[in-house]
Amino acid sequence: YYIRHSENPKNRGEFYIVHNVGAMQEEDNQNGLAHFLEHMAFNGTEHFPNKGIVEFLESLGVKYGFGINAFTGFDRTIYMFSIPTDRPEDLDRGLLILKDWLTGIQIRPEQVEREKGVILEEARGYDVGDPFYDVKVGETRYNERMPLGTPEEIKSMTAEKLENFYRKWYVPELATIVVVGDLNVGEMEGKIKELFEGIPAVKTTGYKEYPLEYTEKVAYQEMQDTLITRSVLELILP
């Protein structure tokens, strides 16, 4: 865990749990799992059933998508929210949310089915934002494991697949808690130790890191767009 005192802004705190797992840890038949699981984390946990996490945070004046958010990448999944720090009971509930994301996500088949439409809509508008992405990542796993998965993979997602992925990878060994804000660092450390120390350690097997590796060559890619009125040359040197 990392804790940092900051009074900018006053009476606010930001809570994160960072999982060192993302699309890279998916097997060939698991594309899109890590990102789908991120969505399920907001559909009910042990202490916050159904939309309880969002409802509690919104009761503190936080807006979903701004003060409450999450992100799934190739090598990490990050959950985050910002809350007022003037009431100790809200800080306690905030830490309980982080704990639930680590150990208490409840994955129900009917919720999985409902979430498929949300993720399919997200996938329709997805763009890596870089026309030269394929050239930059080369012929590597980064070209095979786009976090959202294909529409077919999203439609075939099951609660069992998600549960297995969750139990395997959301473990203390691969998780880090970050709390930054206008709060007492010593008191926050005590709260974290008290709440999280009872989680049993799990030795993860099969975890791999996938560095970007390139074969020695020159790769060339051209993009033409009639709306662009000037020519740009971009050199990428890994």
Side-chain angles (χ1 to χ4, degrees), residues 64-181:
Y64 187 63
F66 295 93
I68 315 163
N69 219 327
F71 165 79
T72 302
F74 292 101
D75 59 354
R76 72 201 69 184
T77 305
I78 304 173
Y79 301 89
M80 63 200 83
F81 55 85
S82 173
I83 61 173
T85 59
D86 52 339
R87 296 197 307 179
E89 60 269 28
D90 292 339
L91 300 180
D92 293 340
R93 297 283 282 174
L95 288 178
L96 190 59
I97 291 173
L98 299 187
K99 183 182 179 183
D100 268 12
W101 278 334
L102 178 60
T103 66
I105 297 177
Q106 296 178 338
I107 303 169
R108 296 188 173 92
E110 64 273 15
Q111 291 173 327
V112 173
E113 293 305 311
R114 283 199 297 267
E115 201 64 28
K116 286 180 181 180
V118 177
I119 299 175
L120 284 169
E121 186 61 30
E122 182 180 351
R124 272 190 281 271
Y126 182 73
D127 184 359
V128 296
D130 186 348
F132 303 110
Y133 176 83
D134 290 347
V135 175
K136 291 178 179 178
V137 300
E139 297 173 1
T140 67
R141 196 174 177 88
Y142 288 83
N143 223 350
E144 303 168 357
R145 291 288 183 273
M146 298 307 290
L148 263 70
T150 66
E152 292 73 23
E153 289 162 343
I154 295 169
K155 291 175 183 176
S156 65
M157 194 62 64
T158 67
E160 182 181 9
K161 287 182 181 179
L162 290 163
E163 185 75 31
N164 290 338
F165 191 86
Y166 177 48
R167 295 303 171 192
K168 180 173 183 178
W169 296 119
Y170 277 42
V171 295
E173 181 185 358
L174 298 175
T176 303
I177 295 167
V178 182
V179 180
V180 181

Side-chain angles (χ1 to χ4, degrees), residues 12 18 27 40 52 60 75 85 144 147 154 156 180 182 215 238:
R12 300 293 295 183
V18 181
E27 302 296 336
M40 297 308 299
L60 301 180
D75 59 354
T85 59
E144 303 168 357
I154 295 169
S156 65
V180 181
D182 188 6
T215 54

